[in-house]
Amino acid sequence: ISHADLWALAANVAIKAMGGPDIPTRFGRIDVTSSAEGVADAAGRLPDGDKDATHIRDIFRPKGFEDQDMVALSGAHTVGMCHIDRSGFEGAWTADKQRFDNSYFKDLLNKKWEKQNNAKGKPQYKCGDTMMLTTDMALIEDEAFKVYVKKYAADQKTWYEDFTKAWVKLQEFGTSELRDIL
């Protein structure tokens, strides 16, 4: 088992421990042996938080992801928070940042979001103690994305199913010959 396999397994176990779906983990990822074999930086790996729907698609479409996958994966913002010293953004997306549920989608649709610049001058949207990034708001501003936001806000089970498919696709991107057992 590789370190990469352990990270994938840990993520899947954490999602389940926070109330999320069971996610299968396949094994056989190969660890790099030096930093020279890794990526030079994070550019292009995930969307920048201050960009729009076009940017989200520009990041994920070359990796084979459709709009549904992109929205389903964005729902992972239901847990965790941004730290201004790391990302330039600050705050939690949902009231319970340790609960993996569809509250992110419900909040996107139902809360009144006010655009503000944070202490680093970056745009964020605030509602009480929670926040959204520009990329989050893009999910309700873009009609093709919004269809899925509404669907997942109304049906957590459907989001879990779609998230699981997209998450496994993301975890297995760029790998080959994975196996179901150690």
Side-chain angles (χ1 to χ4, degrees):
I1 187 167
S2 66
H3 289 104
D5 286 337
L6 288 173
W7 281 109
L9 177 62
N12 296 345
V13 170
I15 288 168
K16 181 63 178 171
M18 291 184 285
D22 282 311
I23 300 175
T25 305
R26 297 188 330 141
F27 303 93
R29 292 165 188 82
I30 298 173
D31 292 329
V32 297
T33 56
S34 74
S35 61
E37 295 177 74
V39 294
D41 60 41
R45 296 178 66 205
L46 291 173
D48 298 325
D50 60 352
K51 301 289 192 290
D52 62 6
T54 299
H55 175 71
I56 297 169
R57 289 185 178 102
D58 287 346
I59 296 297
F60 281 107
R61 280 232 170 101
K63 297 172 179 76
F65 291 90
E66 301 296 328
D67 285 356
Q68 180 175 337
D69 301 320
M70 296 174 215
V71 176
L73 289 170
S74 294
H77 284 174
T78 197
V79 295
M81 64 183 292
C82 292
H83 300 273
I84 204 158
D85 59 323
R86 296 182 200 153
S87 66
F89 300 102
E90 182 69 30
W93 285 273
T94 62
D96 187 349
K97 62 187 178 193
Q98 295 181 341
R99 181 81 187 147
F100 198 93
D101 62 15
N102 66 340
S103 61
Y104 166 80
F105 297 112
K106 291 177 181 181
D107 288 355
L108 263 174
L109 292 172
N110 298 320
K111 287 187 172 183
K112 183 172 171 33
W113 297 101
E114 181 183 329
K115 188 173 184 178
Q116 303 174 348
N117 285 336
N118 65 24
K120 293 271 189 181
K122 292 200 169 210
Q124 291 185 216
Y125 294 78
K126 295 283 289 178
C127 181
D129 291 334
T130 58
M131 68 91 203
M132 294 286 171
L133 303 174
T134 304
T135 48
D136 298 308
M137 299 307 291
L139 301 181
I140 57 173
E141 293 166 355
D142 181 280
E143 289 303 317
F145 281 156
K146 191 173 183 178
V147 168
Y148 297 107
V149 172
K150 288 179 176 179
K151 180 179 177 182
Y152 300 149
D155 187 349
Q156 181 169 280
K157 182 177 182 284
T158 297
W159 173 54
Y160 280 1
E161 291 167 358
D162 292 350
F163 176 82
T164 297
K165 289 178 207 162
W167 181 248
V168 168
K169 188 178 189 178
L170 182 65
Q171 282 191 324
E172 296 183 358
F173 180 75
T175 64
S176 62
E177 300 181 32
L178 296 180
R179 59 191 182 277
D180 294 328
I181 58 171
L182 292 172

